[in-house]
Amino acid sequence: MIQIMMKMMIRCLTDITIEEGDTVDWVWEGVGHNVKSIPRGTFGTAGDDSTAFNSPFTYSYTFMDIGIFDFECVPHSSIMYGTINCSCRRYIKYR
């Protein structure tokens, strides 16, 4: 599990690499945040772009597809955004 903290007035530029099947938790520490994929529709908090949530709140998403996924907090999109790089799960071969 990976956690991304959503803090007001703190620049949140996130670029992380995960493996398929990993879960990312966005954890609110403040008011007026949301998470939306860019483009919309892949993942994100409920509601439209203007719907925001206050702490305590957590949004979780399990990435099952390989790819590059951009996201933003719409109310603070100039300072709160990032990229999730989801790669193929590595399996260990046992002899």
Side-chain angles (χ1 to χ4, degrees):
M1 171 184 49
I2 309 294
Q3 286 192 336
I4 298 172
M5 307 309 284
M6 304 293 280
K7 297 181 180 184
M8 189 63 175
M9 303 307 291
I10 295 178
R11 195 171 188 88
C12 178
L13 308 176
T14 304
D15 186 3
I16 61 172
T17 299
I18 62 172
E19 294 179 347
E20 61 183 320
D22 284 348
T23 299
V24 175
D25 291 339
W26 284 264
V27 180
W28 275 233
E29 289 187 356
V31 298
H33 299 297
N34 63 19
V35 172
K36 298 292 183 181
S37 62
I38 305 169
R40 301 292 186 257
T42 305
F43 61 92
T45 49
D48 62 19
D49 284 356
S50 65
T51 304
F53 301 88
N54 299 327
S55 65
F57 188 82
T58 299
Y59 171 74
S60 299
Y61 184 78
T62 301
F63 288 82
M64 299 305 292
D65 296 317
I66 296 167
I68 298 171
F69 303 90
D70 294 322
F71 68 91
E72 66 183 343
C73 170
V74 177
H76 309 108
S77 61
S78 65
I79 61 169
M80 299 180 88
Y81 56 89
T83 300
I84 308 291
N85 300 289
C86 186
S87 63
C88 181
R89 182 161 297 283
R90 293 181 217 119
Y91 293 98
I92 300 172
K93 282 181 105 175
Y94 292 97
R95 297 178 191 201

mmCIF file of all heavy atoms in Angstrom, residues 7-56:
data_model
loop_
_atom_site.group_PDB
_atom_site.id
_atom_site.type_symbol
_atom_site.label_atom_id
_atom_site.label_comp_id
_atom_site.label_asym_id
_atom_site.label_seq_id
_atom_site.Cartn_x
_atom_site.Cartn_y
_atom_site.Cartn_z
ATOM 1 N N LYS A 7 -2.407 17.523 1.875
ATOM 2 C CA LYS A 7 -2.294 18.572 2.888
ATOM 3 C C LYS A 7 -2.493 19.932 2.257
ATOM 4 O O LYS A 7 -1.896 20.239 1.231
ATOM 5 C CB LYS A 7 -0.914 18.530 3.551
ATOM 6 C CG LYS A 7 -0.637 17.258 4.303
ATOM 7 C CD LYS A 7 0.727 17.317 4.950
ATOM 8 C CE LYS A 7 1.009 16.049 5.716
ATOM 9 N NZ LYS A 7 2.271 16.118 6.436
ATOM 10 N N MET A 8 -3.292 20.736 2.887
ATOM 11 C CA MET A 8 -3.552 22.083 2.396
ATOM 12 C C MET A 8 -2.300 22.936 2.502
ATOM 13 O O MET A 8 -1.557 22.852 3.482
ATOM 14 C CB MET A 8 -4.687 22.709 3.211
ATOM 15 C CG MET A 8 -5.168 23.999 2.659
ATOM 16 S SD MET A 8 -5.857 23.713 1.029
ATOM 17 C CE MET A 8 -6.465 25.319 0.670
ATOM 18 N N MET A 9 -2.079 23.727 1.480
ATOM 19 C CA MET A 9 -0.989 24.699 1.432
ATOM 20 C C MET A 9 0.395 24.049 1.351
ATOM 21 O O MET A 9 1.398 24.700 1.586
ATOM 22 C CB MET A 9 -1.039 25.666 2.622
ATOM 23 C CG MET A 9 -2.349 26.425 2.733
ATOM 24 S SD MET A 9 -2.830 27.287 1.228
ATOM 25 C CE MET A 9 -1.598 28.557 1.159
ATOM 26 N N ILE A 10 0.444 22.767 1.041
ATOM 27 C CA ILE A 10 1.727 22.109 0.831
ATOM 28 C C ILE A 10 1.738 21.588 -0.590
ATOM 29 O O ILE A 10 0.818 20.897 -1.008
ATOM 30 C CB ILE A 10 1.949 20.955 1.832
ATOM 31 C CG1 ILE A 10 2.035 21.521 3.243
ATOM 32 C CG2 ILE A 10 3.194 20.158 1.484
ATOM 33 C CD1 ILE A 10 2.196 20.475 4.311
ATOM 34 N N ARG A 11 2.763 21.921 -1.317
ATOM 35 C CA ARG A 11 2.874 21.474 -2.703
ATOM 36 C C ARG A 11 2.944 19.947 -2.721
ATOM 37 O O ARG A 11 3.780 19.353 -2.066
ATOM 38 C CB ARG A 11 4.114 22.089 -3.326
ATOM 39 C CG ARG A 11 4.145 21.985 -4.808
ATOM 40 C CD ARG A 11 5.311 22.836 -5.330
ATOM 41 N NE ARG A 11 5.268 22.918 -6.753
ATOM 42 C CZ ARG A 11 4.610 23.826 -7.444
ATOM 43 N NH1 ARG A 11 3.926 24.739 -6.805
ATOM 44 N NH2 ARG A 11 4.620 23.824 -8.747
ATOM 45 N N CYS A 12 2.059 19.313 -3.453
ATOM 46 C CA CYS A 12 1.977 17.864 -3.497
ATOM 47 C C CYS A 12 2.222 17.410 -4.935
ATOM 48 O O CYS A 12 1.295 17.268 -5.716
ATOM 49 C CB CYS A 12 0.608 17.396 -3.003
ATOM 50 S SG CYS A 12 0.375 15.622 -3.074
ATOM 51 N N LEU A 13 3.490 17.267 -5.292
ATOM 52 C CA LEU A 13 3.854 16.776 -6.615
ATOM 53 C C LEU A 13 4.307 15.347 -6.432
ATOM 54 O O LEU A 13 5.328 15.091 -5.819
ATOM 55 C CB LEU A 13 4.985 17.613 -7.208
ATOM 56 C CG LEU A 13 4.779 19.124 -7.211
ATOM 57 C CD1 LEU A 13 6.025 19.821 -7.726
ATOM 58 C CD2 LEU A 13 3.577 19.483 -8.041
ATOM 59 N N THR A 14 3.537 14.423 -6.940
ATOM 60 C CA THR A 14 3.802 13.017 -6.673
ATOM 61 C C THR A 14 4.117 12.300 -7.969
ATOM 62 O O THR A 14 3.387 12.424 -8.946
ATOM 63 C CB THR A 14 2.575 12.372 -6.017
ATOM 64 O OG1 THR A 14 2.249 13.104 -4.841
ATOM 65 C CG2 THR A 14 2.844 10.930 -5.651
ATOM 66 N N ASP A 15 5.203 11.559 -7.977
ATOM 67 C CA ASP A 15 5.562 10.705 -9.100
ATOM 68 C C ASP A 15 6.057 9.405 -8.490
ATOM 69 O O ASP A 15 7.172 9.356 -7.973
ATOM 70 C CB ASP A 15 6.632 11.366 -9.965
ATOM 71 C CG ASP A 15 6.925 10.581 -11.233
ATOM 72 O OD1 ASP A 15 6.263 9.558 -11.483
ATOM 73 O OD2 ASP A 15 7.834 10.998 -11.974
ATOM 74 N N ILE A 16 5.208 8.382 -8.504
ATOM 75 C CA ILE A 16 5.578 7.123 -7.871
ATOM 76 C C ILE A 16 5.438 5.973 -8.852
ATOM 77 O O ILE A 16 4.682 6.045 -9.821
ATOM 78 C CB ILE A 16 4.738 6.838 -6.606
ATOM 79 C CG1 ILE A 16 3.253 6.725 -6.939
ATOM 80 C CG2 ILE A 16 4.967 7.886 -5.547
ATOM 81 C CD1 ILE A 16 2.407 6.263 -5.778
ATOM 82 N N THR A 17 6.170 4.913 -8.586
ATOM 83 C CA THR A 17 6.077 3.698 -9.382
ATOM 84 C C THR A 17 5.558 2.580 -8.489
ATOM 85 O O THR A 17 6.055 2.393 -7.378
ATOM 86 C CB THR A 17 7.450 3.319 -9.970
ATOM 87 O OG1 THR A 17 7.884 4.395 -10.826
ATOM 88 C CG2 THR A 17 7.368 2.041 -10.769
ATOM 89 N N ILE A 18 4.561 1.890 -8.993
ATOM 90 C CA ILE A 18 3.956 0.773 -8.278
ATOM 91 C C ILE A 18 3.896 -0.422 -9.220
ATOM 92 O O ILE A 18 4.259 -0.302 -10.397
ATOM 93 C CB ILE A 18 2.546 1.127 -7.762
ATOM 94 C CG1 ILE A 18 1.609 1.439 -8.934
ATOM 95 C CG2 ILE A 18 2.612 2.287 -6.775
ATOM 96 C CD1 ILE A 18 0.161 1.599 -8.535
ATOM 97 N N GLU A 19 3.425 -1.544 -8.711
ATOM 98 C CA GLU A 19 3.214 -2.716 -9.543
ATOM 99 C C GLU A 19 1.721 -2.990 -9.646
ATOM 100 O O GLU A 19 0.951 -2.651 -8.740
ATOM 101 C CB GLU A 19 3.928 -3.926 -8.946
ATOM 102 C CG GLU A 19 5.436 -3.779 -8.967
ATOM 103 C CD GLU A 19 6.145 -4.976 -8.360
ATOM 104 O OE1 GLU A 19 5.489 -5.810 -7.710
ATOM 105 O OE2 GLU A 19 7.364 -5.075 -8.544
ATOM 106 N N GLU A 20 1.313 -3.633 -10.752
ATOM 107 C CA GLU A 20 -0.109 -3.949 -10.923
ATOM 108 C C GLU A 20 -0.597 -4.733 -9.710
ATOM 109 O O GLU A 20 0.116 -5.563 -9.160
ATOM 110 C CB GLU A 20 -0.338 -4.736 -12.212
ATOM 111 C CG GLU A 20 0.382 -6.059 -12.258
ATOM 112 C CD GLU A 20 0.190 -6.788 -13.573
ATOM 113 O OE1 GLU A 20 -0.923 -6.781 -14.113
ATOM 114 O OE2 GLU A 20 1.175 -7.376 -14.047
ATOM 115 N N GLY A 21 -1.787 -4.393 -9.256
ATOM 116 C CA GLY A 21 -2.349 -5.008 -8.058
ATOM 117 C C GLY A 21 -2.077 -4.224 -6.791
ATOM 118 O O GLY A 21 -2.668 -4.509 -5.743
ATOM 119 N N ASP A 22 -1.186 -3.223 -6.850
ATOM 120 C CA ASP A 22 -0.918 -2.382 -5.677
ATOM 121 C C ASP A 22 -2.061 -1.394 -5.472
ATOM 122 O O ASP A 22 -2.703 -0.941 -6.422
ATOM 123 C CB ASP A 22 0.383 -1.586 -5.846
ATOM 124 C CG ASP A 22 1.620 -2.433 -5.649
ATOM 125 O OD1 ASP A 22 1.509 -3.578 -5.166
ATOM 126 O OD2 ASP A 22 2.720 -1.945 -5.986
ATOM 127 N N THR A 23 -2.280 -1.035 -4.206
ATOM 128 C CA THR A 23 -3.308 -0.065 -3.840
ATOM 129 C C THR A 23 -2.645 1.231 -3.400
ATOM 130 O O THR A 23 -1.682 1.213 -2.635
ATOM 131 C CB THR A 23 -4.191 -0.610 -2.700
ATOM 132 O OG1 THR A 23 -4.837 -1.803 -3.173
ATOM 133 C CG2 THR A 23 -5.232 0.403 -2.260
ATOM 134 N N VAL A 24 -3.177 2.339 -3.891
ATOM 135 C CA VAL A 24 -2.722 3.668 -3.477
ATOM 136 C C VAL A 24 -3.827 4.285 -2.635
ATOM 137 O O VAL A 24 -5.001 4.269 -3.022
ATOM 138 C CB VAL A 24 -2.404 4.554 -4.695
ATOM 139 C CG1 VAL A 24 -2.049 5.969 -4.257
ATOM 140 C CG2 VAL A 24 -1.273 3.946 -5.523
ATOM 141 N N ASP A 25 -3.464 4.794 -1.469
ATOM 142 C CA ASP A 25 -4.391 5.509 -0.586
ATOM 143 C C ASP A 25 -4.045 6.992 -0.603
ATOM 144 O O ASP A 25 -2.897 7.361 -0.346
ATOM 145 C CB ASP A 25 -4.269 5.031 0.866
ATOM 146 C CG ASP A 25 -4.768 3.621 1.067
ATOM 147 O OD1 ASP A 25 -5.552 3.140 0.244
ATOM 148 O OD2 ASP A 25 -4.371 3.009 2.070
ATOM 149 N N TRP A 26 -5.012 7.832 -0.915
ATOM 150 C CA TRP A 26 -4.866 9.273 -0.757
ATOM 151 C C TRP A 26 -5.504 9.611 0.589
ATOM 152 O O TRP A 26 -6.678 9.320 0.810
ATOM 153 C CB TRP A 26 -5.584 10.011 -1.878
ATOM 154 C CG TRP A 26 -4.877 9.990 -3.194
ATOM 155 C CD1 TRP A 26 -4.049 10.956 -3.693
ATOM 156 C CD2 TRP A 26 -4.952 8.979 -4.223
ATOM 157 N NE1 TRP A 26 -3.610 10.607 -4.942
ATOM 158 C CE2 TRP A 26 -4.142 9.397 -5.297
ATOM 159 C CE3 TRP A 26 -5.622 7.748 -4.323
ATOM 160 C CZ2 TRP A 26 -3.992 8.641 -6.460
ATOM 161 C CZ3 TRP A 26 -5.469 6.999 -5.472
ATOM 162 C CH2 TRP A 26 -4.670 7.439 -6.519
ATOM 163 N N VAL A 27 -4.744 10.211 1.499
ATOM 164 C CA VAL A 27 -5.204 10.474 2.858
ATOM 165 C C VAL A 27 -5.296 11.995 3.061
ATOM 166 O O VAL A 27 -4.302 12.701 2.908
ATOM 167 C CB VAL A 27 -4.234 9.858 3.896
ATOM 168 C CG1 VAL A 27 -4.728 10.132 5.305
ATOM 169 C CG2 VAL A 27 -4.077 8.357 3.655
ATOM 170 N N TRP A 28 -6.486 12.457 3.422
ATOM 171 C CA TRP A 28 -6.716 13.889 3.614
ATOM 172 C C TRP A 28 -6.196 14.331 4.968
ATOM 173 O O TRP A 28 -6.464 13.706 5.979
ATOM 174 C CB TRP A 28 -8.220 14.180 3.572
ATOM 175 C CG TRP A 28 -8.834 14.380 2.224
ATOM 176 C CD1 TRP A 28 -9.599 15.453 1.845
ATOM 177 C CD2 TRP A 28 -8.821 13.510 1.106
ATOM 178 N NE1 TRP A 28 -10.039 15.282 0.561
ATOM 179 C CE2 TRP A 28 -9.564 14.087 0.077
ATOM 180 C CE3 TRP A 28 -8.214 12.275 0.842
ATOM 181 C CZ2 TRP A 28 -9.734 13.500 -1.173
ATOM 182 C CZ3 TRP A 28 -8.388 11.677 -0.398
ATOM 183 C CH2 TRP A 28 -9.130 12.294 -1.383
ATOM 184 N N GLU A 29 -5.475 15.438 4.960
ATOM 185 C CA GLU A 29 -5.088 16.145 6.178
ATOM 186 C C GLU A 29 -5.425 17.609 5.957
ATOM 187 O O GLU A 29 -4.553 18.445 5.826
ATOM 188 C CB GLU A 29 -3.596 15.955 6.466
ATOM 189 C CG GLU A 29 -3.238 14.560 6.913
ATOM 190 C CD GLU A 29 -1.794 14.445 7.355
ATOM 191 O OE1 GLU A 29 -1.040 15.430 7.256
ATOM 192 O OE2 GLU A 29 -1.417 13.360 7.792
ATOM 193 N N GLY A 30 -6.686 17.872 5.855
ATOM 194 C CA GLY A 30 -7.120 19.234 5.579
ATOM 195 C C GLY A 30 -8.506 19.204 4.970
ATOM 196 O O GLY A 30 -9.198 18.192 5.008
ATOM 197 N N VAL A 31 -8.899 20.317 4.396
ATOM 198 C CA VAL A 31 -10.257 20.443 3.870
ATOM 199 C C VAL A 31 -10.234 20.752 2.377
ATOM 200 O O VAL A 31 -9.265 21.287 1.849
ATOM 201 C CB VAL A 31 -11.037 21.549 4.612
ATOM 202 C CG1 VAL A 31 -11.176 21.211 6.082
ATOM 203 C CG2 VAL A 31 -10.362 22.910 4.456
ATOM 204 N N GLY A 32 -11.330 20.374 1.734
ATOM 205 C CA GLY A 32 -11.556 20.793 0.359
ATOM 206 C C GLY A 32 -10.734 20.084 -0.695
ATOM 207 O O GLY A 32 -10.322 20.709 -1.672
ATOM 208 N N HIS A 33 -10.497 18.772 -0.545
ATOM 209 C CA HIS A 33 -9.700 18.032 -1.520
ATOM 210 C C HIS A 33 -10.542 16.991 -2.261
ATOM 211 O O HIS A 33 -11.557 16.529 -1.759
ATOM 212 C CB HIS A 33 -8.545 17.292 -0.842
ATOM 213 C CG HIS A 33 -7.593 18.188 -0.136
ATOM 214 N ND1 HIS A 33 -6.838 19.148 -0.771
ATOM 215 C CD2 HIS A 33 -7.267 18.270 1.180
ATOM 216 C CE1 HIS A 33 -6.093 19.776 0.111
ATOM 217 N NE2 HIS A 33 -6.332 19.271 1.318
ATOM 218 N N ASN A 34 -10.075 16.634 -3.435
ATOM 219 C CA ASN A 34 -10.591 15.479 -4.145
ATOM 220 C C ASN A 34 -9.441 14.872 -4.951
ATOM 221 O O ASN A 34 -8.333 15.412 -4.967
ATOM 222 C CB ASN A 34 -11.802 15.821 -5.027
ATOM 223 C CG ASN A 34 -11.507 16.787 -6.141
ATOM 224 O OD1 ASN A 34 -10.360 16.984 -6.531
ATOM 225 N ND2 ASN A 34 -12.539 17.416 -6.680
ATOM 226 N N VAL A 35 -9.696 13.758 -5.594
ATOM 227 C CA VAL A 35 -8.713 13.120 -6.481
ATOM 228 C C VAL A 35 -9.454 12.744 -7.750
ATOM 229 O O VAL A 35 -10.491 12.079 -7.694
ATOM 230 C CB VAL A 35 -8.099 11.848 -5.850
ATOM 231 C CG1 VAL A 35 -7.241 11.113 -6.854
ATOM 232 C CG2 VAL A 35 -7.292 12.188 -4.625
ATOM 233 N N LYS A 36 -8.939 13.180 -8.887
ATOM 234 C CA LYS A 36 -9.534 12.859 -10.183
ATOM 235 C C LYS A 36 -8.428 12.462 -11.152
ATOM 236 O O LYS A 36 -7.374 13.098 -11.199
ATOM 237 C CB LYS A 36 -10.291 14.063 -10.760
ATOM 238 C CG LYS A 36 -11.455 14.525 -9.914
ATOM 239 C CD LYS A 36 -12.577 13.517 -9.888
ATOM 240 C CE LYS A 36 -13.763 14.036 -9.087
ATOM 241 N NZ LYS A 36 -14.843 13.076 -9.015
ATOM 242 N N SER A 37 -8.698 11.404 -11.920
ATOM 243 C CA SER A 37 -7.734 10.991 -12.933
ATOM 244 C C SER A 37 -7.770 11.971 -14.103
ATOM 245 O O SER A 37 -8.761 12.648 -14.343
ATOM 246 C CB SER A 37 -8.037 9.577 -13.423
ATOM 247 O OG SER A 37 -9.311 9.517 -14.039
ATOM 248 N N ILE A 38 -6.653 12.042 -14.817
ATOM 249 C CA ILE A 38 -6.552 12.853 -16.029
ATOM 250 C C ILE A 38 -6.163 11.904 -17.160
ATOM 251 O O ILE A 38 -5.069 11.343 -17.124
ATOM 252 C CB ILE A 38 -5.471 13.943 -15.895
ATOM 253 C CG1 ILE A 38 -5.715 14.807 -14.666
ATOM 254 C CG2 ILE A 38 -5.374 14.778 -17.146
ATOM 255 C CD1 ILE A 38 -4.547 15.719 -14.329
ATOM 256 N N PRO A 39 -7.002 11.653 -18.155
ATOM 257 C CA PRO A 39 -8.353 12.176 -18.298
ATOM 258 C C PRO A 39 -9.302 11.538 -17.295
ATOM 259 O O PRO A 39 -8.976 10.504 -16.697
ATOM 260 C CB PRO A 39 -8.730 11.799 -19.737
ATOM 261 C CG PRO A 39 -7.913 10.592 -20.043
ATOM 262 C CD PRO A 39 -6.636 10.756 -19.261
ATOM 263 N N ARG A 40 -10.476 12.129 -17.122
ATOM 264 C CA ARG A 40 -11.445 11.650 -16.149
ATOM 265 C C ARG A 40 -11.943 10.250 -16.506
ATOM 266 O O ARG A 40 -11.949 9.851 -17.662
ATOM 267 C CB ARG A 40 -12.653 12.587 -16.072
ATOM 268 C CG ARG A 40 -12.315 14.008 -15.692
ATOM 269 C CD ARG A 40 -11.822 14.100 -14.242
ATOM 270 N NE ARG A 40 -11.635 15.466 -13.843
ATOM 271 C CZ ARG A 40 -10.457 16.068 -13.757
ATOM 272 N NH1 ARG A 40 -9.354 15.425 -14.054
ATOM 273 N NH2 ARG A 40 -10.376 17.319 -13.367
ATOM 274 N N GLY A 41 -12.354 9.520 -15.476
ATOM 275 C CA GLY A 41 -13.025 8.258 -15.703
ATOM 276 C C GLY A 41 -12.266 7.013 -15.282
ATOM 277 O O GLY A 41 -12.866 5.974 -15.089
ATOM 278 N N THR A 42 -10.954 7.101 -15.127
ATOM 279 C CA THR A 42 -10.193 5.920 -14.725
ATOM 280 C C THR A 42 -10.354 5.655 -13.240
ATOM 281 O O THR A 42 -10.603 4.531 -12.819
ATOM 282 C CB THR A 42 -8.700 6.084 -15.068
ATOM 283 O OG1 THR A 42 -8.573 6.378 -16.459
ATOM 284 C CG2 THR A 42 -7.921 4.835 -14.750
ATOM 285 N N PHE A 43 -10.191 6.675 -12.413
ATOM 286 C CA PHE A 43 -10.362 6.564 -10.969
ATOM 287 C C PHE A 43 -10.640 7.949 -10.418
ATOM 288 O O PHE A 43 -10.458 8.951 -11.101
ATOM 289 C CB PHE A 43 -9.124 5.937 -10.286
ATOM 290 C CG PHE A 43 -7.861 6.727 -10.456
ATOM 291 C CD1 PHE A 43 -7.487 7.682 -9.523
ATOM 292 C CD2 PHE A 43 -7.033 6.519 -11.550
ATOM 293 C CE1 PHE A 43 -6.325 8.417 -9.676
ATOM 294 C CE2 PHE A 43 -5.854 7.244 -11.708
ATOM 295 C CZ PHE A 43 -5.505 8.189 -10.775
ATOM 296 N N GLY A 44 -11.070 8.000 -9.170
ATOM 297 C CA GLY A 44 -11.293 9.295 -8.541
ATOM 298 C C GLY A 44 -12.417 9.251 -7.532
ATOM 299 O O GLY A 44 -13.242 8.341 -7.525
ATOM 300 N N THR A 45 -12.425 10.251 -6.669
ATOM 301 C CA THR A 45 -13.460 10.358 -5.654
ATOM 302 C C THR A 45 -14.814 10.583 -6.313
ATOM 303 O O THR A 45 -14.902 11.044 -7.457
ATOM 304 C CB THR A 45 -13.141 11.505 -4.679
ATOM 305 O OG1 THR A 45 -12.823 12.688 -5.438
ATOM 306 C CG2 THR A 45 -11.980 11.172 -3.778
ATOM 307 N N ALA A 46 -15.866 10.258 -5.579
ATOM 308 C CA ALA A 46 -17.233 10.382 -6.096
ATOM 309 C C ALA A 46 -17.574 11.835 -6.392
ATOM 310 O O ALA A 46 -16.989 12.762 -5.827
ATOM 311 C CB ALA A 46 -18.206 9.805 -5.074
ATOM 312 N N GLY A 47 -18.542 12.019 -7.261
ATOM 313 C CA GLY A 47 -19.021 13.361 -7.567
ATOM 314 C C GLY A 47 -18.297 13.983 -8.743
ATOM 315 O O GLY A 47 -17.405 13.381 -9.339
ATOM 316 N N ASP A 48 -18.691 15.213 -9.045
ATOM 317 C CA ASP A 48 -18.055 15.916 -10.157
ATOM 318 C C ASP A 48 -16.802 16.644 -9.675
ATOM 319 O O ASP A 48 -16.389 16.495 -8.523
ATOM 320 C CB ASP A 48 -19.045 16.864 -10.835
ATOM 321 C CG ASP A 48 -19.564 17.952 -9.912
ATOM 322 O OD1 ASP A 48 -18.933 18.223 -8.864
ATOM 323 O OD2 ASP A 48 -20.595 18.557 -10.229
ATOM 324 N N ASP A 49 -16.200 17.420 -10.561
ATOM 325 C CA ASP A 49 -14.938 18.093 -10.233
ATOM 326 C C ASP A 49 -15.058 19.055 -9.053
ATOM 327 O O ASP A 49 -14.073 19.330 -8.367
ATOM 328 C CB ASP A 49 -14.402 18.856 -11.442
ATOM 329 C CG ASP A 49 -13.783 17.944 -12.485
ATOM 330 O OD1 ASP A 49 -13.707 16.722 -12.243
ATOM 331 O OD2 ASP A 49 -13.376 18.461 -13.541
ATOM 332 N N SER A 50 -16.250 19.576 -8.798
ATOM 333 C CA SER A 50 -16.402 20.542 -7.702
ATOM 334 C C SER A 50 -16.681 19.874 -6.359
ATOM 335 O O SER A 50 -16.679 20.543 -5.324
ATOM 336 C CB SER A 50 -17.518 21.535 -8.029
ATOM 337 O OG SER A 50 -18.758 20.861 -8.099
ATOM 338 N N THR A 51 -16.916 18.558 -6.352
ATOM 339 C CA THR A 51 -17.175 17.850 -5.102
ATOM 340 C C THR A 51 -15.860 17.628 -4.369
ATOM 341 O O THR A 51 -14.926 17.048 -4.915
ATOM 342 C CB THR A 51 -17.848 16.490 -5.364
ATOM 343 O OG1 THR A 51 -19.041 16.707 -6.116
ATOM 344 C CG2 THR A 51 -18.178 15.786 -4.068
ATOM 345 N N ALA A 52 -15.781 18.112 -3.134
ATOM 346 C CA ALA A 52 -14.554 17.996 -2.341
ATOM 347 C C ALA A 52 -14.884 17.405 -0.976
ATOM 348 O O ALA A 52 -16.031 17.445 -0.524
ATOM 349 C CB ALA A 52 -13.894 19.356 -2.187
ATOM 350 N N PHE A 53 -13.861 16.880 -0.338
ATOM 351 C CA PHE A 53 -14.024 16.193 0.943
ATOM 352 C C PHE A 53 -13.069 16.771 1.971
ATOM 353 O O PHE A 53 -12.001 17.275 1.628
ATOM 354 C CB PHE A 53 -13.755 14.694 0.776
ATOM 355 C CG PHE A 53 -14.676 14.049 -0.225
ATOM 356 C CD1 PHE A 53 -14.349 14.010 -1.571
ATOM 357 C CD2 PHE A 53 -15.882 13.507 0.182
ATOM 358 C CE1 PHE A 53 -15.201 13.435 -2.506
ATOM 359 C CE2 PHE A 53 -16.744 12.928 -0.737
ATOM 360 C CZ PHE A 53 -16.401 12.895 -2.082
ATOM 361 N N ASN A 54 -13.458 16.683 3.241
ATOM 362 C CA ASN A 54 -12.647 17.181 4.350
ATOM 363 C C ASN A 54 -12.106 16.009 5.161
ATOM 364 O O ASN A 54 -12.689 14.925 5.162
ATOM 365 C CB ASN A 54 -13.474 18.092 5.251
ATOM 366 C CG ASN A 54 -14.002 19.298 4.506
ATOM 367 O OD1 ASN A 54 -13.366 19.813 3.601
ATOM 368 N ND2 ASN A 54 -15.190 19.751 4.870
ATOM 369 N N SER A 55 -11.006 16.247 5.877
ATOM 370 C CA SER A 55 -10.460 15.189 6.728
ATOM 371 C C SER A 55 -11.362 14.999 7.946
ATOM 372 O O SER A 55 -12.055 15.935 8.344
ATOM 373 C CB SER A 55 -9.034 15.533 7.164
ATOM 374 O OG SER A 55 -9.029 16.672 7.986
ATOM 375 N N PRO A 56 -11.430 13.803 8.474
ATOM 376 C CA PRO A 56 -10.677 12.626 8.045
ATOM 377 C C PRO A 56 -11.357 11.960 6.851
ATOM 378 O O PRO A 56 -12.568 11.725 6.862
ATOM 379 C CB PRO A 56 -10.716 11.701 9.255
ATOM 380 C CG PRO A 56 -12.000 12.054 9.964
ATOM 381 C CD PRO A 56 -12.219 13.533 9.692
#
